[in-house]
Every structure is written in C-alpha cells, then in structure tokens.
Amino acid sequence: QKEVEQDPGPLSVPEGAIVSLNCTYSNSAFQYFMWYRQYSRKGPELLMYTYSSGNKEDGRFTAQVDKSSKYISLFIRDSQPSDSATYLCAAGGNKLVFGAGTILRVKS
Amino acid sequence: EPEVTQTPSHQVTQMGQEVILRCVPISNHLYFYWYRQILGQKVEFLVSFYNNEISEKSEIFDDQFSVERPDGSNFTLKIRSTKLEDSAMYFCASSKKDRGVDGYTFGSGTRLTVV
C-alpha cells in the first residue's frame, strides 16, 4: 500500500474556478501535512503545512486535514493562470513522504 | 527570502565515476536532507542529517552514497560509483531546529545525468 496517494491529473479548470486537490495517506504516525508547488525541473516550493485536523487558510489557499479519514486537501480560490503547476502533497515528520503530484492547468 | 542553494544545476557524468553534489542550506537551519526525483516519478527521501550525523536514511541510500557537512555552510551528497539509474533530480532541503517541518525549504535541484 502506497503511503501517500494522489491523483496525478491533469486537472484543467477555467480562470476563477475553485480548485480542489486531494490526497490520502495510510500511516497514522504522520505528524505533519504539507503542500508544495513544483514547476517543471524546479524544486518543490512550500505553500502550506498543518499539524492537526481542521482548516488552515493563507490568502487564496486553504489546507484541510481530516486525520480520522486520513485525507488531505488543498483548495485554491479564484484560480489564476499563474497557479498552473504540479501540486505535491507530503506527509511525515522530519522525513517527508510525497504523493505523485497533481498537474493543474488554469486556462485564461 | 532565504533560500537553499544547490550547485551545479546540471551534472553529466560517466557511469562508474564519483560525483559530489553541493548544497548551502539556509543559515539558521539545523536539519538537512537529500531527496531525489527520477523523471516522471515521485520525490523520494534519501537521507536526513542533524548534529553532524545521519538521523535517518532510506533503503535507496546504500553504501554508494554518503553525506558530509565539511564546514559551517556546505552540505554535500557523494555518489561513489554512479549507475545509469542514478540519473535524477537531486534536491537538498533544510528546516529549522525547533519544529521539524517549520520552514522546510527545498533547493532548485541538481539534474544528474549518468551516461
């Protein structure tokens, strides 16, 4: 069983749409849940991280964790063409386990 | 914005040769990591390093790999005898001491091509 599963997409949405990106994880010992954005041939860029179940908001981005169902989500409001990238979820502690990444395309 | 710096950005090497990938972590960070990403695949953990020793390593990180912090600023990954399957993007990361994932920042990576 893969530790972190993520639908690779691609996900294509019109500009201004609300985007929902999702991951599931299997290891109950994971303490931290992260979302990274990655552009082609670049390093992952940290967007948000959370420790506990619930929502965390930062501008247009909301990270949501449900530990009871082992579910991680990232919502992007008012999506922009510049949000087009691969979004990686990750979980763990000092060592991170990554999902496969979801390719997002926001069309203008 | 502080950043993790990696050099070189691209390295081509012949199979069997040794390579050293270099990283300068963020200056007040104390945890250091190497990850790799084979083209089209997931980002995979290789090793974590704290207080001048390896704190955790994956099964990928075999005897061909080693890490070192030779001075107060650099963090290196050495692959002793490269194989074709070592071709990948290698990412260095660092994080703050008090909470492991606080400021967990990746560099732009070194693309290693083994021919």
Side-chain angles (χ1 to χ4, degrees):
Chain A
Q1 184 183 18
K2 295 177 185 176
E3 287 197 282
V4 178
E5 298 214 40
Q6 183 176 10
D7 185 342
L11 181 61
S12 185
V13 301
E15 183 176 355
I18 296 174
V19 175
S20 172
L21 304 168
N22 306 294
C23 292
T24 58
Y25 65 95
S26 59
N27 190 339
S28 300
F30 287 156
Q31 299 172 284
Y32 308 105
F33 308 94
M34 335 273 281
W35 283 96
Y36 285 86
R37 178 172 59 197
Q38 187 178 30
Y39 296 106
S40 181
R41 295 184 181 270
K42 298 292 185 185
E45 173 195 1
L46 180 62
L47 289 174
M48 299 183 72
Y49 65 90
T50 60
Y51 301 94
S52 56
S53 283
N55 293 353
K56 182 177 179 181
E57 199 171 308
D58 184 2
R60 296 185 295 113
F61 297 88
T62 300
Q64 188 176 80
V65 174
D66 182 346
K67 286 191 173 184
S68 62
S69 58
K70 297 189 179 68
Y71 204 78
I72 314 165
S73 298
L74 179 72
F75 300 97
I76 306 173
R77 289 183 298 282
D78 187 26
S79 56
Q80 303 294 309
S82 57
D83 294 328
S84 298
T86 298
Y87 289 79
L88 309 174
C89 63
N94 279 350
K95 163 192 164 186
L96 295 181
V97 179
F98 280 83
T102 300
I103 298 170
L104 172 67
R105 296 193 186 113
V106 181
K107 299 175 291 186
S108 57
Chain B
E1 184 84 32
E3 58 181 28
V4 174
T5 305
Q6 289 187 245
T7 54
S9 57
H10 187 197
Q11 171 109 34
V12 181
T13 189
Q14 290 204 322
M15 193 168 52
Q17 294 297 303
E18 175 184 285
V19 292
I20 297 176
L21 309 183
R22 291 184 165 79
C23 170
V24 178
I26 294 173
S27 61
N28 64 344
H29 286 188
L30 295 176
Y31 288 88
F32 313 116
Y33 314 88
W34 284 100
Y35 287 77
R36 79 171 185 190
Q37 187 176 31
I38 294 171
L39 188 63
Q41 297 188 23
K42 291 184 178 186
V43 176
E44 300 174 288
F45 170 80
L46 292 178
V47 65
S48 60
F49 190 86
Y50 171 69
N51 200 27
N52 282 320
E53 60 183 25
I54 291 173
S55 49
E56 189 171 354
K57 61 183 180 179
S58 73
E59 55 194 30
I60 301 168
F61 194 88
D62 61 22
D63 292 344
Q64 292 299 311
F65 292 89
S66 62
V67 289
E68 194 178 30
R69 187 147 163 86
D71 53 43
S73 59
N74 291 284
F75 180 51
T76 62
L77 173 70
K78 182 193 290 186
I79 309 175
R80 261 179 272 284
S81 178
T82 50
K83 307 183 194 79
L84 294 176
E85 55 264 36
D86 293 327
S87 296
M89 284 289 285
Y90 287 81
F91 295 110
C92 174
S94 67
S95 66
K96 294 180 183 177
K97 177 185 177 182
D98 54 349
R99 285 182 293 175
V101 298
D102 196 3
Y104 206 124
T105 305
F106 283 76
S108 292
T110 293
R111 181 155 60 103
L112 177 65
T113 303
V114 182
V115 296

